[in-house]
Amino acid sequence: MNPKVLTTLEYHKIRARLAEFAATSIGKERAESIEPCPDFETVKRLLQATDEAFKVDRLKGGAPFGGIRDVRKALSRARIGSTLGPSELLDIALTIGGGRKLKRFLLAMHENEPIPLLAEAAEPISENRDVEDKIKSCIDDAAEIVDSASPELARIRHELRTSESRARDKLEQMIRTPSIQKMLQDSLITIRGDRYVIPVKQEYRSHFGGMIHDQSASGATLFIEPEAVVALNNKLRELKMQEEREIEKILIMLTGCVAEAADELAVSVEALGELDFVFARAGLARALKATLPIMNDRGFLKLKKGRHPLLNPAAVVPLDVELGNQFSTIIVTGPNTGGKTVSLKTIGLLSLMAMSGLFIPAEEGSQMCVFDAIYADIGDEQSIEQNLSTFSSHLTNIISILKGMTPKSLVLLDELGAGTDPSEGSALAIAMLEYIHQIGCRIVATTHYSELKAYAFERKGVINASMEFDVQTLSPTYRLLVGVPGRSNAFAIAERLGLPRPILEMARGRVDEDDKRVETMIASLEANRATSEAERRKAEQQRAEAERLRAQLEEEREKFREQRDKLLAKAEQEAKSAVANARKEADEVIRELRRLAMEERGAVKEHKLIEAKRRLDQAAPELRDKRDASRASAKKAEAIGVGDEVRVVSLGQKGHVVEMAGDGEATVQLGILKMKVGKSDLELVGRAPAAKPAQTASASVKRSRDENVRTELDLRGSNLEEAIIETDRFLDESFLNGFGQVYVIHGKGTGVLRAGLQDYFRRHKHVKSYRLGNYGEGGAGVTVVELK
């Protein structure tokens, strides 16, 4: 990309802004050298990486880059055998630790929220724990070699501290002696040249032996090393030299470890710098409130509410523009200071940002194109030294653009044809636009020439545009109106400013009729556009209101679902509780039946069985809705007659009405038991069929056969207790229906159910005889019972 174009479009300011979001010096360096890329696949990959970093930033608040340093120079020095200092080694250890933390963070994030490109970029990061541990075991956080770095260093420093203590103690004794104190300038111990000395007054020099190491600026004080501590100071000096040699050995050892892993660490540092650069792009997107553009390689550009990234977001007017679909050339006309140049720069700069892998400050759904080059001739570059006029400077730039452009280029031309005679300038502008248009470039050009409006109107693939101007306030609105050419507005402005009417009428009379018709047409277009804009805004408001209502309805539906789920859960809990209680009651009834069977040797009284059945039926939870209750009430209200099949509500048993009493009671046959029941406690089940005439007045009513009553009972899968209860009910109903023979299916199985039932048949009062089924009747799996 031409550096001059990047400067013209102020791309360097985007670089500087991007560098502010880098966490490391490596990332900052990459941000400051970012370049637009003309390759479509590479740009898509860059934008995807930025999008993944933006996702991490949104979900996790950013990535951890703490401790990471630019250690590339230190690694290079380690490769050639130079000994690294403690601070350089500490930076390498911190970088290894910071890189490991970042890598594990991104890989863990990738498991929950896929970020494939960032995970791939993090793979080369070294987790060389050995080098890090060795460095940190020898160097502390203040970049000092610790005593435990080696046994020899620990021994030397121990002796060094002991010797220092002895030397200080010796001098402390001296300066506390009264005879010596008067000779001292100050009662303190100081160091000169790594040797302990005391400050002595000049006049007492002869009273002290030893060596003079320094004197004050005035010469009144001498810093003397007394003879009593010379040997101790010599010992200290020797120990310090030993300490330095041991530290040198440790640094050489650590540098060797770094040199062995230098290539691996260099790759790791590059990966860390790349990741920091990606997250810097995400940080810039967050600051600009930018969005991910949809990229294409077919020369199509569509900006929705695009904003210049270097202008105040509160003051900038968003730009809506489409280029490269129905038309490839836009000619923008309008007054000065109307925003034409800003529109050009916005289109160019946002294209550069998208091609650099950066989000653009525009609404979602904006589309950008990857151009092989962007050319711009914007601004006045006249030069006195080079004897170039405004027209010459523009023409020089355009000639260089014509030489380098291709069908995949974007060309931005400001004030095309300006700076020369209007007729010649407009002719040249039309010719240059036609030539560039035929090449197939995408062009956005600004001009003041009215001839270009007619060219854009007549030429296919070229469209007019203008910067909106408010005649009422005499100020531009900075809105780009595509499809509407700009008007000069000179007469309207002059009239509002108070120019005398005769002058205005004279001026209007000198305007050609063609120009007047053009101005009228443009005014009509502007009015129609204003109407359509108002309708569009109204439609958007209605759509927003519909969306709001839809969201509100969905929220209410969700609340209803939650309430329904809560009620269902509560009902289910209540049902479970009712079933549990029913099971508990059933268990008690079964235990009671067993106890009675044991006490009465199986001859359980009928009324006791009926009572047990009633308890079981009452234990079962009733889940009837209101409609069931209303139907039951309606059946109760119906007239019940003799012979009708009824249900005794309080007992839960079915029977037949034998006799109707006049006192609100009825005699009901329940099995072999007759009992009087109040009519209000009866529920109609079925009407009695037409009864045969009674032979005697005292004969009891015999129930006719019910077609719903079967002659067989299937007990397979039941236990013995359940089977006896069901069999008893079945035999009672069969007896009442006058059946002579019934079939009880119990299956073959282990024979326990068959043996228990046959023992029960032997004692049952309705059973005349029983036998196993014959061939074709079920064999040993069926017992055929003959009733009395």
Side-chain angles (χ1 to χ4, degrees), residues 46-56 115 278 282 292 357 359:
L46 289 172
L47 284 170
Q48 183 184 343
T50 306
D51 189 39
E52 290 179 7
F54 191 81
K55 181 195 295 186
V56 174
I115 45 173
V278 174
L292 174 67
F359 283 13

Side-chain angles (χ1 to χ4, degrees), residues 406-427:
T406 71
K408 291 188 175 181
S409 301
L410 172 64
V411 180
L412 305 172
L413 302 174
D414 190 27
E415 300 296 345
L416 184 61
T420 187
D421 179 75
S423 59
E424 294 180 354
S426 61

Side-chain angles (χ1 to χ4, degrees), residues 280-444:
R281 302 203 300 262
L284 179 64
R286 183 184 65 254
L288 294 178
K289 297 181 180 179
T291 61
L292 174 67
I294 301 170
M295 300 303 298
N296 66 83
D297 60 349
R298 54 189 177 86
F300 178 62
L301 182 149
K302 183 178 182 180
L303 277 176
K304 299 167 67 176
K305 306 295 181 186
R307 309 181 307 276
H308 196 288
L310 302 177
L311 298 179
N312 182 3
V316 69
V317 178
L319 177 69
D320 289 294
V321 64
E322 183 176 322
L323 178 66
N325 192 5
Q326 297 179 356
F327 44 84
S328 60
T329 301
I330 299 178
I331 298 177
V332 186
T333 53
N336 289 328
T337 70
K340 298 191 303 296
T341 303
V342 173
S343 298
L344 279 184
K345 287 188 173 183
T346 301
I347 295 171
L349 187 54
L350 295 193
S351 297
L352 292 175
M353 289 177 65
M355 291 168 61
S356 304
L358 300 174
F359 283 13
I360 61 171
E363 284 189 356
E364 292 184 358
S366 295
Q367 298 193 44
M368 303 299 291
C369 176
V370 176
F371 298 103
D372 61 358
I374 296 178
Y375 299 98
D377 176 50
I378 299 175
D380 187 0
E381 298 182 11
Q382 59 178 320
S383 171
I384 297 176
E385 291 83 1
Q386 298 179 14
N387 194 27
L388 291 175
S389 65
T390 298
F391 177 74
S392 299
S393 65
H394 278 297
L395 195 58
T396 302
N397 286 339
I398 293 173
I399 290 172
S400 65
I401 290 173
L402 296 176
K403 291 179 180 179
M405 67 185 185
T406 71
K408 291 188 175 181
S409 301
L410 172 64
V411 180
L412 305 172
L413 302 174
D414 190 27
E415 300 296 345
L416 184 61
T420 187
D421 179 75
S423 59
E424 294 180 354
S426 61
L428 272 175
I430 293 173
M432 287 186 288
L433 282 174
E434 180 62 23
Y435 177 79
I436 299 173
H437 181 68
Q438 289 179 359
I439 294 293
C441 299
R442 303 298 183 261
I443 315 166
V444 182

Side-chain angles (χ1 to χ4, degrees), residues 684-734:
L684 182 63
V685 175
R687 290 292 185 184
K692 294 181 181 180
Q695 294 179 354
T696 61
S698 61
S700 62
V701 178
K702 185 176 181 181
R703 181 186 175 198
S704 64
R705 294 188 179 181
D706 191 341
E707 293 180 357
N708 295 325
V709 179
R710 297 177 300 169
T711 60
E712 63 180 29
L713 174 64
D714 192 347
L715 297 173
R716 286 175 293 183
S718 303
N719 58 37
L720 184 57
E721 289 82 359
E722 294 173 347
I724 289 174
I725 293 172
E726 289 296 322
T727 302
D728 183 70
R729 181 184 295 113
F730 173 66
L731 293 177
D732 285 346
E733 291 180 351
S734 299

